[in-house]
Amino acid sequence: MAGKRVGIIGTGASGVQVIQEVGPIAAHLIVFQRTPNLALPMNQSPVSVATQTKMKEEMYPILFKRRFQTTNGFHYDQLDRGASDLSPEERYLLFNDLWSKGGFRYIINSCNDITSNEKVNAEMYAFWRKRVLERIRDPEMQRKLAPEKPPHPFGVKRHSLEQSYYEVFNQSNVALIDLNENPIIEVVPNGVKTRDGVVHEFDVLVLATGFDAVTGSISQIDIKGTDGVSIGDKWKKGLSTYLGMSVAGYPNMFFPYGPHGPTAFCNGPTCVELQGDWIIDCITYLRQHNYARIDPTQEASEDWVQRVTDLFSQGLYLHAKSWYTGANVPGKRIEALNFVGGLPLYTTLIQESARGGYAGFTLTPDTSIQAKL
């Protein structure tokens, strides 16, 4: 895209990544933003071969095991105290320390009430905004990228990580259009037309407009249950799973890193490893005990949905339109799509089922049906 006129619609994770890379090389870049991304600095630095080698020998085994002990599956964890229990000075020093370390630490390695206590949440946003405003020169860009009033509670939408995102908007070749003030009317052959009548001409138009998260990768497959209903149609009436890995009426079907699991609130590899091991152990158990079919009960599924919903409602998540609830897809039902109770609790719950002979499932002996696992 070097030397080209580029337009980018959307400022989610994909948009942030593209903007950082394209801004410095494009002849002109226009970003169309609906909601400012409350992005966090990665603060990356090079790691020498010698350091990597030493870490692999000493630290890696410890860090890998530690992941399964923390709320979000990282090697660092949420603090076991609330920010409201700290003095203003303690909170400032904590926020500043986490900010300097970079990554998701500012939100994940912080106090345990930041997504449930509105006052604390507002203070976290204010600190974030102060740090971001220091990196943006133009007052109008400051207003659009880091508004005085937060667009939503801090931490209830996925935070993107960035290296130079905000500095890009200091460049003379970069413009930002707030779609709340000047929405797109149509895409025309040579660009994009906004409500003010201006046609913005582009050589390249990037649609970083999101995706049908968590459920979409499964519901778009024509998987039918024992009643002949596709899983997509079943979930239109309300998402239903058991343990975030199975669905009643769809026997012998397991999925990792999907709906009602820790998924969006967990380090991906950690979540997949945990669920993958559980699924392997389950299939091994079925074979060893001559079972050919496993299907979650409706009662267990309803209980799981209620647990997921109750945990989700304890936070401020429903105060934002996000893919955490399906609100980014027109017509999609708004509901909790993820288990937000933390990895230790999730591990306890799925292991309790396993230790109880896979409680919550109906197991059918091999002799009663022809299908085999």
Side-chain angles (χ1 to χ4, degrees):
M1 299 185 193
K4 296 185 181 297
R5 300 168 300 172
V6 181
I8 298 178
I9 302 175
T11 54
S14 299
V16 167
Q17 293 175 68
V18 174
I19 290 165
Q20 288 181 135
E21 299 302 318
V22 173
I25 64 173
H28 189 62
L29 170 65
I30 297 181
V31 177
F32 296 90
Q33 171 187 278
R34 180 180 61 184
T35 307
N37 193 319
L38 310 186
L40 299 172
M42 297 181 77
N43 293 348
Q44 288 181 318
S45 59
V47 180
S48 68
V49 174
T51 299
Q52 291 183 58
T53 301
K54 182 174 178 58
M55 289 185 69
K56 288 177 181 178
E57 294 174 350
E58 181 177 337
M59 288 294 293
Y60 278 23
I62 295 173
L63 296 179
F64 283 139
K65 290 180 180 178
R66 175 59 178 156
R67 293 176 304 147
F68 295 104
Q69 302 166 1
T70 64
T71 303
N72 301 101
F74 290 88
H75 62 277
Y76 47 86
D77 200 8
Q78 186 180 77
L79 302 180
D80 60 357
R81 56 181 174 172
S84 54
D85 298 326
L86 306 178
S87 68
E89 293 76 21
E90 287 177 309
R91 288 198 296 273
Y92 176 87
L93 291 173
L94 172 64
F95 294 166
N96 194 61
D97 179 58
L98 296 176
W99 186 268
S100 65
K101 290 178 178 177
F104 287 122
R105 287 177 177 81
Y106 186 68
I107 190 74
I108 289 177
N109 200 189
S110 192
C111 296
N112 60 17
D113 59 350
I114 59 173
T115 57
S116 59
N117 185 313
E118 292 189 39
K119 183 179 179 180
V120 169
N121 192 276
E123 191 171 335
M124 285 204 75
Y125 176 78
F127 185 95
W128 172 89
R129 180 171 183 264
K130 183 177 185 297
R131 288 290 180 262
V132 169
L133 291 180
E134 293 169 353
R135 299 166 58 186
I136 308 170
R137 292 195 294 265
D138 180 68
E140 185 64 10
M141 286 292 189
Q142 290 180 336
R143 181 183 71 83
K144 293 178 180 179
L145 292 167
E148 183 175 356
K149 180 181 179 181
H152 51 75
F154 200 82
V156 301
K157 292 183 72 170
R158 170 60 67 83
H159 289 274
S160 296
L161 300 180
E162 55 82 27
Q163 286 283 80
S164 58
Y165 178 65
Y166 295 104
E167 283 76 9
V168 167
F169 293 96
N170 292 327
Q171 298 175 196
S172 60
N173 67 321
V174 178
L176 175 64
I177 294 177
D178 186 337
L179 294 178
N180 298 293
E181 300 172 355
N182 190 19
I184 294 173
I185 300 301
E186 63 178 324
V187 176
V188 296
N190 58 334
V192 170
K193 183 178 181 180
T194 47
R195 188 172 62 184
D196 59 5
V198 175
V199 174
H200 307 274
E201 297 187 356
F202 302 117
D203 301 306
V204 179
L205 179 61
V206 179
L207 304 179
T209 52
F211 47 93
D212 188 356
V214 188
T215 57
S217 58
I218 299 174
S219 62
Q220 292 176 29
I221 304 174
D222 189 25
I223 303 171
K224 290 184 170 63
T226 53
D227 57 1
V229 177
S230 72
I231 197 163
D233 288 338
K234 177 183 177 69
W235 282 348
K236 284 180 182 178
K237 300 175 183 178
L239 181 58
S240 176
T241 78
Y242 180 50
L243 304 182
M245 290 185 282
S246 60
V247 180
Y250 295 77
N252 294 358
M253 184 181 79
F254 297 104
F255 49 82
Y257 206 56
H260 284 173
T263 313
F265 291 78
C266 183
N267 177 18
T270 305
C271 183
V272 171
E273 287 176 39
L274 175 68
Q275 292 178 318
D277 287 342
W278 188 93
I279 292 169
I280 291 171
D281 290 342
C282 178
I283 293 174
T284 301
Y285 176 90
L286 297 176
R287 286 176 169 165
Q288 289 176 344
H289 293 81
N290 200 35
Y291 289 113
R293 173 171 166 156
I294 181 171
D295 193 7
T297 67
Q298 188 61 38
E299 180 182 4
S301 300
E302 291 173 0
D303 289 344
W304 184 256
V305 172
Q306 191 61 54
R307 182 187 290 272
V308 169
T309 302
D310 290 345
L311 287 168
F312 196 78
S313 64
Q314 292 174 15
L316 301 170
Y317 302 106
L318 292 173
H319 291 245
K321 291 183 177 180
S322 79
W323 58 264
Y324 285 169
T325 62
N328 65 315
V329 178
K332 189 172 181 178
R333 183 185 176 95
I334 306 300
E335 57 190 333
L337 301 182
N338 299 273
F339 179 92
V340 298
L343 204 61
L345 175 59
Y346 181 76
T347 301
T348 296
L349 295 172
I350 64 175
Q351 293 303 337
E352 282 180 354
S353 171
R355 286 193 298 269
Y358 295 91
F361 291 93
T362 298
L363 308 184
T364 307
D366 186 37
T367 55
S368 66
I369 57 176
Q370 294 181 353
K372 291 186 177 181
L373 286 167

